[in-house]
Amino acid sequence: KSNSNVHEQTDGGSTALDLACQALAKLNSSEIATEVFYNLCRTIDVLLARNCKLKEFQGELQLEQARTQVARMKEEDSTKKEPIDNKDDTMRAEVRKQA
């Protein structure tokens, strides 16, 4: 477990949210839809959920981009799980019939 506090500032005055937004802003178009991009979006989403605030970074675009991407990822995860659940239900019903 880390001893750092997400609300603490670096020596330069930046918060963890500032640093994550800066890293997201530095990504070029070829890095969008990569694991780094997804991880930065998740990090920003978690920091926002913990009520972290921007101190130095001025852009709102990265915050919105992260929120949108995380919502999209959650939606994709839920649609991927539905067929598996239905398949499991079907298999359980077949096992009951055989028993």
Side-chain angles (χ1 to χ4, degrees), residues 44-95:
I44 291 171
D45 186 56
V46 168
L47 291 170
L48 289 171
R50 293 182 180 193
N51 294 319
C52 292
K53 305 290 184 214
L54 291 172
K55 299 283 182 184
E56 300 289 320
F57 192 77
Q58 299 298 316
E60 290 288 323
L61 175 65
Q62 284 70 28
L63 295 176
E64 188 57 38
Q65 188 178 27
R67 286 184 192 118
T68 303
Q69 184 59 41
V70 169
R72 198 176 299 145
M73 288 186 300
K74 287 178 182 176
E75 184 178 304
E76 287 175 6
D77 284 347
S78 68
T79 57
K80 286 179 184 175
K81 289 179 183 177
E82 286 177 15
I84 293 170
D85 291 341
N86 292 337
K87 186 177 180 180
D88 288 345
D89 291 342
T90 304
M91 289 176 65
R92 285 185 194 123
E94 287 178 23
V95 169

